[in-house]
Amino acid sequence: MPKYGRVNRYYYAGPIRDLLRSSPNEILGTMAEGAHHTVLLTQRDAWLQQIAILKEQLTNRDGHVILEYSIPRMGSRVDAILIIDSCVFVVEFKVGASTFDRGAIDQVYDYALDLKYFHEPSQRAILVPVLIATNADEGSWRQLPSAERFDPQLLAPSELRDAISRTLALHGGQAIDPQEWIDGRYSPTPTIVEAAAALYRGHSVQEISRSDAAGDSLQVTSDTISKIINNSHDNSQKAICFVTGVPGAGKTLVGLNIANSHTDSKSELYSVFLSGNGPLVAVLREALARDAVAQKRQKGKRLKKGEARSRVKQFIQNVHNFRDECLRDAKPPIEHVALFDEAQRAWNLKQTENFMKRKRNRIDFGQSEPQFLISCLDRHKDWAVVVCLVGGGQEINTGEGGIQEWIHALQRFPDWKIYISPQLEEAEFDPGSILQELEEQNRVTRDESLHLFASMRAFRAENVSHLVRSLLEFDESDARASLVNCQDAFPIVLTRSLSAAKTWIREQARGSERYGVLVSSAAERLRPHGIHVRAPVNPIHWFLDGKDDVRSSYYMEDVATEFHIQGLELDWTCVTWDADFRYTEAGWQNFDFVGSKWHRIRAEDRQRYQKNAYRVLLTRARQGMVIVVPEGDASDHTRLPEFYDPTFNYLQRIGLPTLP
């Protein structure tokens, strides 16, 4: 049997002629050997049925066949890949099915999209997703319309031969080298939910990240932190690292990777990923629990979701729960390594004192949240490491202290070594003058590898965060230049109609690509458009449930605010802009809707939070975005056109194309 590449991502691969010559049991044996786990009887029977169909339908056909091809990002395998001439047929079997349900169609479409986006040789190939329902009647064949180069084909088993012939007749071109295809670079860019699940399953960060410079940066940063952890352990030292990065650069992914790779109960090494972002914690925990149950089910084993959730809670915790446990118990926590996501959002001294007084009956607490969290790890007599994952311009709520609170707290822990990226000293992070004092004490080490410089979220464009920054800072010429660099790969359009925006976004999305409506938490006057910003949204249902669930983002009825979406992402977003954040020639004006009218916000910190809220909303999409600025209503004093028109005109002047 020929081998392609050093690491097999499949259970069987070879020329079609070898498949036709081999007995089903020989093929089955090769697949079982490649699986490296016990093959269930039901899986064996399904494979035998698929093999029989392929042997019958591929008679007298040249090409290559690959069975059970791994898609690590999705945590699943394609049943069969057929490489024939210039086409790659992505084949999924539904054994025992007589119809083609939406979920199965999306699944095979997702496989083809994954290859198109992330597998280098497939970007030059004709990709053809094929769904075969093994009990479908002959004559079931139909081809779904698609704006891509490939259309999903829904077939009965006996229709595969003709479908291949029809497709090849339509698509000429250079034949694909199967070895080059199998050895080709696979550079996925998973969502944070997909990445967390893959890491929790045991995949390495290399398997689920891109192979370009951005992906390399992710690995280099992870390696640097690992070295700091190992050095701290070996030399009984304590250290804190500040990891910076542009929005979507993969800071959370680095944190999850370190927490997962530096936990080993046998050696009593424990790490924990902490976040004060309640929706992020809830979504990640539920996603990991669901995935763990599904993975066990595939192996014929049973895992109760409650048990799965309990295990996940040890890996991902809400930072406030961690804090409260340390308040109750003065002993060192079990974890020697703590990773704080969105560390810039930790509470300052005033916010922490108020909370402790009101909610925990702690009078004169006297510590900011960063100071107390460092003190918890400082209880260890030997070593400890804190990793702060820092986003610039991401503070969005009252009392979020920024990086200055962490730097200030470190004055009280003179034995802690400090590792920063040089970018931490830039204005958007604003560490304050105390950092220089700590540097004069020879406590600070700068390391360029602690900065993630490219967005992993917007895998089709690297300039989105730069565009948003220029747009919010009124740098029109730079925003126009950034938009030109974005538009070919990352469409951004403008409209005044929410209905038109929803239609556009549905037309763009393929397979199970997720989309939804995002609004500012202060967007109080979008109710005439059916948007109730104060209506509670369950982030688990919104981010994880399917197209048939009215609570999911797909329905575009419930909306997410900056508090729900920060740290997470969608493939396509519909950002609806209200009168809380208005363009003027003199700068942005900020408003809060109280009672029956808008009130001007003049406090600088609240103005900053509101600008950052829109920064978050505008940087959550992976593939494209539509921005809606309503027209307003001259008969409604709360929605006058002059509240909205200047913002729309500004975005249009930058060059955003307008939907008809």
Side-chain angles (χ1 to χ4, degrees):
M1 184 62 57
K3 298 291 184 184
Y4 303 93
R6 290 172 293 176
V7 179
N8 291 345
R9 297 184 55 225
Y10 51 82
Y11 292 172
Y12 175 99
I16 290 176
R17 61 177 178 271
D18 286 357
L19 180 90
L20 298 175
R21 292 172 184 164
S22 302
S23 71
N25 284 335
E26 288 176 323
I27 300 168
L28 188 66
T30 302
M31 294 179 70
E33 183 181 353
H36 299 299
H37 61 74
T38 302
V39 177
L40 301 176
L41 187 62
T42 52
Q43 180 64 79
R44 187 205 67 177
D45 291 344
W47 282 348
L48 286 172
Q49 191 167 351
Q50 294 167 22
I51 291 167
I53 293 170
L54 291 173
K55 287 171 71 68
E56 178 185 343
Q57 294 295 303
L58 296 177
T59 303
N60 299 323
R61 178 69 68 186
D62 289 330
H64 274 66
V65 60
I66 306 164
L67 302 179
E68 294 292 322
Y69 182 82
S70 174
I71 306 286
R73 184 182 72 91
M74 298 172 62
S76 54
R77 293 180 174 272
V78 184
D79 287 338
I81 300 285
L82 306 178
I83 302 175
I84 303 174
D85 294 342
S86 61
C87 295
V88 176
F89 295 86
V90 182
V91 184
E92 184 68 13
F93 293 91
K94 291 304 172 186
V95 176
S98 57
T99 58
F100 307 93
D101 65 68
R102 184 73 251 176
I105 294 170
D106 285 346
Q107 181 183 10
V108 71
Y109 213 154
D110 288 345
Y111 290 150
L113 288 170
D114 187 276
L115 292 170
K116 172 182 167 61
Y117 294 148
F118 308 127
H119 185 241
E120 194 170 281
S122 294
Q123 295 167 7
R124 304 185 297 270
I126 305 298
L127 292 166
V128 186
V130 175
L131 178 62
I132 297 177
T134 61
N135 287 4
D137 295 330
E138 191 168 343
S140 298
W141 177 84
R142 58 192 174 103
Q143 191 163 347
L144 299 183
S146 168
E148 304 288 349
R149 291 189 300 170
F150 47 89
D151 304 329
Q153 301 198 22
L154 315 182
L155 310 175
S158 58
E159 296 172 323
L160 178 59
R161 185 197 315 274
D162 290 342
I164 292 173
S165 298
R166 280 192 299 267
T167 302
L168 295 176
L170 291 173
H171 301 289
Q174 185 177 355
I176 298 168
D177 184 313
Q179 183 169 344
E180 289 183 5
W181 191 92
I182 295 177
D183 285 345
R185 186 167 63 176
Y186 177 69
S187 306
T189 304
T191 67
I192 190 59
V193 171
E194 292 167 340
L199 289 168
Y200 195 63
R201 282 184 231 118
H203 287 287
S204 67
V205 71
Q206 296 99 318
E207 290 180 282
I208 60 169
S209 60
R210 286 164 18 181
S211 300
D212 59 3
D216 291 343
S217 174
L218 206 65
Q219 184 59 50
V220 169
T221 300
S222 294
D223 290 344
T224 298
I225 297 171
S226 292
K227 290 177 183 176
I228 293 171
I229 292 173
N230 293 334
N231 182 67
S232 299
H233 172 271
D234 295 342
N235 295 287
S236 294
Q237 295 175 344
K238 293 170 183 174
I240 186 168
C241 309
F242 293 93
V243 177
T244 55
V246 301
K251 298 180 291 294
T252 302
L253 178 55
V254 167
L256 290 167
N257 181 49
I258 294 296
N260 191 58
S261 60
H262 287 272
T263 295
D264 182 5
S265 58
K266 293 181 180 178
S267 60
E268 297 186 348
L269 170 63
Y270 295 96
S271 301
V272 63
F273 178 88
L274 299 169
S275 175
N277 184 335
L280 175 69
V281 171
V283 169
L284 289 182
R285 279 181 170 178
E286 180 65 16
L288 266 59
R290 290 184 184 186
D291 185 71
V293 171
Q295 294 295 319
K296 287 290 186 182
R297 188 184 301 119
Q298 288 180 9
K299 297 176 181 178
K301 300 179 181 179
R302 189 168 180 267
L303 175 64
K304 293 181 179 179
K305 187 178 284 189
E307 183 182 350
R309 286 175 176 149
S310 179
R311 295 178 184 177
V312 169
K313 285 181 181 179
Q314 300 173 14
F315 175 47
I316 299 174
Q317 296 182 30
N318 190 299
V319 66
H320 303 307
N321 294 340
F322 180 85
R323 175 203 62 203
D324 290 349
E325 182 60 32
C326 290
L327 280 172
R328 286 189 291 269
D329 189 345
K331 295 193 299 292
I334 189 174
E335 300 89 0
H336 276 74
V337 179
L339 301 106
F340 294 95
D341 196 32
E342 299 173 8
Q344 75 283 350
R345 296 186 62 189
W347 290 346
N348 59 25
L349 176 61
K350 181 179 179 181
Q351 182 75 4
T352 309
E353 284 186 328
N354 287 341
F355 175 85
M356 289 296 179
K357 182 178 180 180
R358 289 183 294 106
K359 299 293 186 179
R360 299 294 181 266
N361 198 30
R362 297 268 182 147
I363 308 300
D364 299 326
F365 183 72
Q367 298 181 71
S368 67
E369 195 168 42
Q371 182 180 338
F372 179 69
L373 292 172
I374 295 173
S375 75
C376 295
L377 274 294
D378 193 57
R379 296 173 188 176
H380 287 289
K381 299 299 183 183
D382 46 5
W383 70 282
V385 174
V386 169
V387 180
C388 293
L389 309 169
V390 183
Q394 300 284 295
E395 302 90 348
I396 59 175
N397 209 353
T398 302
E400 294 177 355
I403 290 305
Q404 286 195 26
E405 288 295 333
W406 289 92
I407 301 299
H408 182 77
L410 284 165
Q411 288 181 303
R412 301 176 181 272
F413 301 93
D415 295 332
W416 282 64
K417 294 182 176 296
I418 304 167
Y419 297 85
I420 69 170
S421 74
Q423 286 77 7
L424 188 75
E425 298 175 275
E426 294 181 356
E428 63 181 313
F429 299 106
D430 190 21
S433 59
I434 296 175
L435 181 63
Q436 185 174 352
E437 296 179 20
L438 298 177
E439 190 171 8
E440 291 171 356
Q441 300 169 18
N442 295 318
R443 295 179 58 190
V444 179
T445 299
R446 289 178 176 77
D447 192 325
E448 187 72 45
S449 64
L450 291 175
H451 180 72
L452 297 165
F453 58 85
S455 174
M456 297 285 290
R457 176 180 298 126
F459 62 88
R460 299 174 72 178
E462 304 297 348
N463 299 291
V464 178
S465 60
H466 188 86
L467 165 65
V468 171
R469 182 171 61 185
S470 300
L471 182 155
L472 292 176
E473 300 302 329
F474 288 98
D475 190 340
E476 288 191 34
S477 61
D478 193 50
R480 279 192 291 270
S482 297
L483 180 63
V484 170
N485 293 329
C486 289
Q487 282 288 37
D488 287 344
F490 189 98
I492 307 175
V493 297
L494 180 66
T495 183
R496 311 213 72 168
S497 167
L498 182 59
S499 176
K502 289 180 177 180
T503 298
W504 181 85
I505 211 168
R506 288 190 181 103
E507 290 173 348
Q508 304 307 308
R510 298 286 178 261
S512 63
E513 291 175 344
R514 186 169 284 274
Y515 48 84
V517 178
L518 307 181
V519 300
S520 159
S521 59
E524 295 278 5
R525 293 307 298 139
L526 296 177
R527 293 189 67 171
H529 302 279
I531 293 177
H532 302 269
V533 71
R534 291 192 180 274
V537 57
N538 185 312
I540 290 175
H541 296 303
W542 201 83
F543 282 103
L544 298 180
D545 289 350
K547 295 179 180 179
D548 59 345
D549 194 317
V550 298
R551 299 167 298 180
S552 76
S553 66
Y554 291 116
Y555 259 73
M556 293 194 283
E557 293 182 359
D558 292 335
V559 300
T561 71
E562 69 272 20
F563 298 114
H564 302 112
I565 197 71
Q566 188 172 43
L568 293 161
E569 66 263 294
L570 302 174
D571 290 295
W572 302 87
T573 61
C574 173
V575 179
T576 306
W577 206 300
D578 201 8
D580 59 319
F581 193 58
R582 307 176 194 174
Y583 172 88
T584 71
E585 293 296 335
W588 295 107
Q589 286 189 352
N590 308 76
F591 292 83
D592 198 11
F593 193 81
V594 180
S596 62
K597 62 181 180 180
W598 293 102
H599 294 259
R600 184 81 178 270
I601 296 174
R602 301 190 183 277
E604 290 187 6
D605 58 342
R606 292 190 62 203
Q607 291 177 356
R608 184 174 73 254
Y609 295 150
Q610 198 165 47
K611 179 188 285 189
N612 287 343
Y614 274 84
R615 190 191 315 275
V616 168
L617 298 175
L618 293 167
T619 55
R620 296 303 102 183
R622 287 163 51 83
Q623 300 203 55
M625 169 173 54
V626 55
I627 300 174
V628 184
V629 183
E631 291 185 333
D633 185 345
S635 66
D636 183 347
H637 72 280
T638 69
R639 297 189 300 118
L640 296 175
E642 54 261 38
F643 295 169
Y644 300 92
D645 290 347
T647 302
F648 178 83
N649 294 335
Y650 170 59
L651 297 175
Q652 193 175 48
R653 192 165 66 242
I654 285 173
L656 292 180
T658 306
L659 293 179

